[in-house]
């Protein structure tokens, strides 16, 4: 061995000895970040913490003018502490503190497989806490990458924290947040403040969410919006819920709304799958269609985005808000949907279906049927199975009723009644007399006038009418009852007025007779299937919310005085004639 080599070894030994044993009076006290202060009281008789161990370096130096006079290692430096390896270009060792500061190409490789790289890092062997600064990157064993400018790392709790803003990338999505705490053992990230999670299809923006890197489920704990990038109008809004970034399923629990196809689903608790477009809601559910100015409410609802349809049950009702006069619908189940308009590829037609115990209300028309189908775009309403429609004191029934609305004027233009058509109107709505004008037949078309009242009825096939006839007394100028007309024709055209029905045409096998009130018996004043219904009649829109309002049946007064008097005269004459006949005596 040469003298020169011996001198180098001796010098290195002296330096290491001074690093291990010597105390420099010129060293300044170490100023640690408060993060390194233990937040728990050390246990009594606990073993002393392990020292941070030097594994390798090219040089060991000490300069009173540098690093407060502390020893520092340079060149391929590596330290070890409880299974974790720290590599850097330069490491400063604070003697007696079990504390190091690494500078330049810093890399901390932990026993669990996570890696932190940075430009600078401080590490306390006593608390097993570290602070990484500048261009910090944490990579967990499964590939999640966190980037920030300052990161606080606790090996005991296995947590990483930043509050300087950062990004988190798991290969599928990128998370942007001001503050985050990453629990490496469970791979959950607590994100506070404003958060943005973005992937190829969707963007989640909200406050205070927890992201699980294992399940890719995001727990939402503040106002949050999830937006479809291709169609930003389609979005989810909620204050509390869970969102699976893999399956795009959302479970929503507070102040939640799902926007789809220009419609809105709300409810107390909701589920929505952005991939399939299926959603459901329970509680106070509303499906709102602002373009149609119509909303549906109920206790349970489902939407099918790709079919552009929705369904509501549990006491559902729908409201179509019109400028002058809104329409209300109710049933056991209500379905709404849209279909392309064959006449215009850029437009859609909207439809509403009310199944089982269907009811609707409009100020000038109310109805009931087992099912109701409404073409909202064209204004055509179909009523199936025992339909009954009321309109300003008039009642129409049949096997099927079709109502045609003028969508511009927001009123009914006409009705078509198919099969067993029957229209009834009270002769005088101001009194309680049991007097009703009636017209019936196989097929009936009912036309409305400008005042939104039934004006005319045209009946085809076995047409029949019972009408009360009045005339004006020339002297008193008061109306006087002439009698009742019974008409039977192939076709009847009848005109309704406020207190009268006039048969203006009676064609094909016409047969019409007018009987004075004294000569028509009460049984012939009504058709056998007369069915004037006051118990189920809808008088206000709230009546549709129940199966039937169950109003008391109105008791009308029968006016048969003239007929009874005439019959008495006939009976008396018959009795007289009978009395004149000779009586045979029995032997």
């Amino acid at each position: 061995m040469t003298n020169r080599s011996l001198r180098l070894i001796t010098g290195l030994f002296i330096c290491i000895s001074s690093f291990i044993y010597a105390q420099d009076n010129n060293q300044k006290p170490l100023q640690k970040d408060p993060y390194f202060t233990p937040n728990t009281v050390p246990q009594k008789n606990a073993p002393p913490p392990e020292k941070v161990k030097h594994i390798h370096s090219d040089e060991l130096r000490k300069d009173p003018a540098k690093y407060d006079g502390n020893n520092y290692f340079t060149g391929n430096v590596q330290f070890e502490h409880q299974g974790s390896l720290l590599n850097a270009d330069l490491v400063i060792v604070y003697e007696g503190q079990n504390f190091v500061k690494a500078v330049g190409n810093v890399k901390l490789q932990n026993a669990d497989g996570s890696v932190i790289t940075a430009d600078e890092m401080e590490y306390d062997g006593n608390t097993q806490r570290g602070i990484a600064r500048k261009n910090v990157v944490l990579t967990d064993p499964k590939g999640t990458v966190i980037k920030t400018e300052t990161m606080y790392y606790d090996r005991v709790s296995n947590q990483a924290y930043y509050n300087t803003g950062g990004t988190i990338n798991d290969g599928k999505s990128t998370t942007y947040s001001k503050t985050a705490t990453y629990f490496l053992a469970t791979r959950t990230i607590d994100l506070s403040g404003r958060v943005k999670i973005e992937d190829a299809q969707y963007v989640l923006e909200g406050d205070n969410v927890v992201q699980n890197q294992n399940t890719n489920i995001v727990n939402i704990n503040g106002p949050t919006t999830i937006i479809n990038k291709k169609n930003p109008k389609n979005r989810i809004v909620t204050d509390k819920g869970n969102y699976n970034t893999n399956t795009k399923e959302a479970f929503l629990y507070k102040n939640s709304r799902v926007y789809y196809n220009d419609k809105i689903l709300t409810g107390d608790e909701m589920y929505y799958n952005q991939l399939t477009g299926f959603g459901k809601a329970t509680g106070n559910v509303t499906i709102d269609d602002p373009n149609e100015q119509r909303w549906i409410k109920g206790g349970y609802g489902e939407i099918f985005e790709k079919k552009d349809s929705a369904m509501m049950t549990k006491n559902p009702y729908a409201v179509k808000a019109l400028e002058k006069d809104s329409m209300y619908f109710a049933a056991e189940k209500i379905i709404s949907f849209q279909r392309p308009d064959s006449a215009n590829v850029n437009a859609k037609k909207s439809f509403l279906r009310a199944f089982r115990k269907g009811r609707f209300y409009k100020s000038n028309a109310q109805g009931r049927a087992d099912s109701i189908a409404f073409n909202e775009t064209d204004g055509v309403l179909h009523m199936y199975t025992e339909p009954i429609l009321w309109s300003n004191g008039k009642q129409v029934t049949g096997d099927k009723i079709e109502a045609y609305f003028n969508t511009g004027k927001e009123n009914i233009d006409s009705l078509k009644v198919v099969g067993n058509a029957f229209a009834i109107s009270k002769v005088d709505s101001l009194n309680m007399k049991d007097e009703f004008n009636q017209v019936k037949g196989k097929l009936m078309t009912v036309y409305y006038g400008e005042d939104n009242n039934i004006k005319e009825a045209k009946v085809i096939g076995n047409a029949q009418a019972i009408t009360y006839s009045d005339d004006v007394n020339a002297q008193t100028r008061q109306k006087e009852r002439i009698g009742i007309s019974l008409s039977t024709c192939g076709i009847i055209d009848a005109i309704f007025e406020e207190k009268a029905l006039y048969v203006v045409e009676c064609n094909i096998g016409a047969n019409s007779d007018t009987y004075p009130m004294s000569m028509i018996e009460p049984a012939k004043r009504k058709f056998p299937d007369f069915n004037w219904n006051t118990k189920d009649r809808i008088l206000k829109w709230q009546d549709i919310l129940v199966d039937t309002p169950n109003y008391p049946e109105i008791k009308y007064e029968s006016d048969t005085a003239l007929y009874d008097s005439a019959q008495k005269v006939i009976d008396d004459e018959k009795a007289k004639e009978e009395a004149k006949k000779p009586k045979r005596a029995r032997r």
Side-chain angles (χ1 to χ4, degrees):
M1 182 179 293
T2 64
N3 291 334
R4 183 178 179 184
S5 298
L6 181 60
R7 286 196 299 272
L8 288 173
I9 293 172
T10 304
L12 182 59
F13 177 77
I14 293 171
C15 288
I16 293 174
S17 300
S18 64
F19 165 65
I20 298 174
Y21 300 108
Q23 296 291 331
D24 191 336
N25 293 330
N26 294 325
Q27 289 180 352
K28 295 180 180 179
L30 176 61
Q31 298 294 321
K32 292 184 181 181
D33 189 285
Y35 177 71
F36 294 111
T37 303
N39 50 17
T40 58
V41 179
Q43 296 181 357
K44 292 182 179 181
N45 302 321
E50 292 186 22
K51 295 293 183 180
V52 179
K53 299 175 183 178
H54 170 260
I55 302 300
H56 178 271
S57 62
D58 292 345
E59 292 185 79
L60 167 62
R61 295 184 180 184
K62 183 181 176 87
D63 186 342
K66 286 186 176 182
Y67 311 123
D68 298 331
N70 290 290
N71 297 295
Y72 61 95
F73 295 83
T74 62
N76 300 309
V77 183
Q78 185 176 77
F79 276 75
E80 185 274 338
H81 188 248
Q82 294 188 345
S84 294
L85 296 176
L86 175 66
N87 294 274
D89 294 339
L90 181 149
V91 175
I92 306 159
V93 178
Y94 293 86
E95 190 59 38
Q97 300 291 324
N98 201 19
F99 189 90
V100 297
K101 181 176 180 180
V103 180
N105 296 310
V106 179
K107 179 180 179 181
L108 176 64
Q109 187 166 349
N110 296 295
D112 63 3
S114 62
V115 176
I116 301 175
T117 61
D119 291 349
E120 298 179 2
M121 182 181 291
E122 296 173 338
Y123 181 76
D124 188 331
N126 294 331
T127 61
Q128 298 187 54
R129 291 182 174 185
I131 301 177
R133 293 184 174 88
K134 299 177 182 178
N135 301 314
V136 181
V137 178
L138 183 153
T139 305
D140 77 2
K142 293 188 177 181
T144 295
V145 178
I146 301 177
K147 296 182 179 180
T148 186
E149 283 303 297
T150 301
M151 178 177 287
Y152 300 85
Y153 180 67
D154 188 334
R155 290 187 62 219
V156 175
S157 61
N158 212 14
Q159 296 179 21
Y161 166 81
Y162 67 77
N163 59 8
T164 53
T167 63
I168 303 166
N169 189 291
D170 61 4
K172 296 179 180 179
S173 64
T174 301
T175 300
Y176 307 86
S177 67
K178 176 70 174 177
T179 303
T181 301
Y182 187 22
F183 302 87
L184 279 83
T186 59
R187 301 189 72 231
T188 57
I189 308 171
D190 193 340
L191 304 156
S192 57
R194 198 64 184 165
V195 178
K196 180 180 179 181
I197 302 175
E198 182 175 2
D199 65 14
Q201 297 173 296
Y202 297 92
V203 177
L204 182 152
E205 292 186 275
D207 296 331
N208 303 324
V209 303
V210 177
Q211 187 177 15
N212 189 311
Q213 296 294 301
N214 286 326
T215 62
N216 288 306
I217 291 176
V218 178
N219 294 326
I220 299 168
N221 299 296
T224 300
T225 302
I226 305 169
I227 299 172
N228 185 326
K229 282 184 171 181
K230 291 183 179 179
N231 187 356
K233 291 192 298 183
N234 284 8
R235 62 196 186 277
I236 299 171
V237 177
T238 188
D239 285 354
K240 186 174 181 60
N242 302 314
Y243 179 67
N244 190 316
T245 58
N246 283 344
T247 62
K248 310 304 179 188
E249 293 177 286
F251 297 86
L252 313 170
Y253 306 113
K254 182 180 179 182
N255 297 332
S256 307
R257 301 182 298 280
V258 173
Y259 294 82
Y260 72 103
N261 298 345
D262 296 322
K263 303 171 185 64
I264 309 165
L265 171 68
T266 60
D268 294 342
E269 292 189 6
M270 300 168 60
Y271 164 84
Y272 182 63
N273 187 315
Q274 289 177 310
L275 297 181
T276 65
F278 172 74
K280 61 181 179 179
T282 58
N284 297 301
V285 184
T286 300
I287 300 173
D288 189 6
D289 188 341
N291 291 340
E292 285 295 328
Q293 294 184 301
R294 185 249 300 129
W295 60 90
I296 308 172
K297 291 181 176 291
Y300 176 81
E302 294 181 354
I303 62 171
F304 306 86
E305 178 184 337
K306 294 184 178 180
K307 294 182 179 180
D308 209 353
S309 64
M311 180 273 293
M312 188 79 74
T313 60
K314 294 187 178 180
N315 302 316
Y317 69 94
V319 181
K320 187 170 181 64
L322 303 175
E323 184 177 346
K324 300 175 183 177
D325 183 18
S326 296
M327 291 185 71
Y328 302 82
F329 298 86
E332 291 184 1
K333 178 191 292 186
I334 294 178
I335 294 175
S336 66
F337 59 93
Q338 289 186 313
R339 293 292 181 265
D341 188 344
S342 58
N344 184 355
V345 294
N346 297 318
K348 290 184 177 181
K349 289 189 175 184
S350 295
F351 301 87
L352 192 74
R353 300 284 189 267
F355 293 100
R356 291 186 295 278
K357 299 180 181 179
R359 291 92 67 187
F360 84 90
Y361 172 88
K362 198 173 183 293
S363 65
N364 66 326
Q366 308 84 40
R368 292 179 172 276
D370 183 68
S371 60
I372 297 173
F374 184 40
N375 182 329
E376 299 175 80
T377 306
D378 296 338
V380 181
L381 184 143
H382 301 265
M383 303 173 67
Y384 302 95
T385 310
E386 298 182 354
I388 179 168
L389 184 143
W390 298 276
S391 182
N392 295 325
K394 301 173 181 65
Q395 176 184 293
V396 178
T397 58
D399 294 340
K400 176 186 174 183
I401 296 177
E402 297 176 0
Y404 297 87
F405 290 83
N406 185 317
T407 55
K409 295 181 179 180
E410 299 181 3
N411 56 24
I412 298 179
D413 280 342
S414 62
L415 302 175
K416 182 183 288 184
V417 188
V418 181
N420 296 307
F422 196 166
I424 305 171
S425 67
K426 187 80 169 58
V427 172
D428 189 345
S429 60
L430 299 180
N431 64 40
M432 297 301 295
K433 289 185 178 181
D434 191 12
E435 298 176 337
F436 295 88
N437 291 311
Q438 303 150 63
V439 59
K440 61 180 295 187
K442 287 185 177 180
L443 177 67
M444 181 186 299
T445 302
V446 179
Y447 301 95
Y448 278 70
E450 292 297 326
D451 57 356
N452 287 331
N453 285 318
I454 292 177
K455 190 69 177 176
E456 180 182 358
K458 187 171 185 179
V459 186
I460 300 175
N462 296 332
Q464 302 174 67
I466 296 176
T467 57
Y468 283 71
S469 302
D470 294 328
D471 199 2
V472 177
N473 186 297
Q475 295 180 349
T476 64
R477 298 187 180 279
Q478 298 293 321
K479 280 189 176 182
E480 293 181 352
R481 177 63 42 82
I482 297 175
I484 297 177
S485 298
L486 304 182
S487 304
T488 302
C489 316
I491 299 175
I492 285 180
D493 195 354
I495 299 296
F496 285 88
E497 291 188 357
E498 183 180 357
K499 297 180 181 180
L501 185 151
Y502 300 104
V503 176
V504 294
E505 285 189 50
C506 185
N507 301 319
I508 306 176
N511 183 13
S512 182
D513 295 301
T514 300
Y515 298 90
M517 299 305 293
S518 61
M519 295 183 62
I520 184 167
E521 58 186 286
K524 291 184 177 181
R525 300 178 187 184
K526 294 177 183 177
F527 289 120
D529 53 348
F530 180 89
N531 60 347
W532 184 257
N533 187 330
T534 59
K535 179 175 71 73
D536 300 321
R537 182 169 183 176
I538 299 168
L539 299 179
K540 56 184 183 297
W541 84 264
Q542 290 86 350
D543 288 344
I544 70 170
L545 302 179
V546 294
D547 290 348
T548 172
N550 201 26
Y551 288 118
E553 286 283 6
I554 297 176
K555 302 298 183 182
Y556 294 99
E557 301 169 359
S558 296
D559 186 2
T560 61
L562 293 176
Y563 177 79
D564 292 341
S565 297
Q567 285 298 112
K568 186 176 186 306
V569 171
I570 293 172
D571 292 341
D572 289 345
E573 289 298 321
K574 286 182 178 180
K576 289 179 181 179
E577 291 296 323
E578 192 68 27
K580 292 179 180 179
K581 293 180 181 180
K583 301 290 190 289
R584 291 184 179 182
R586 291 183 179 180
R587 294 182 181 179

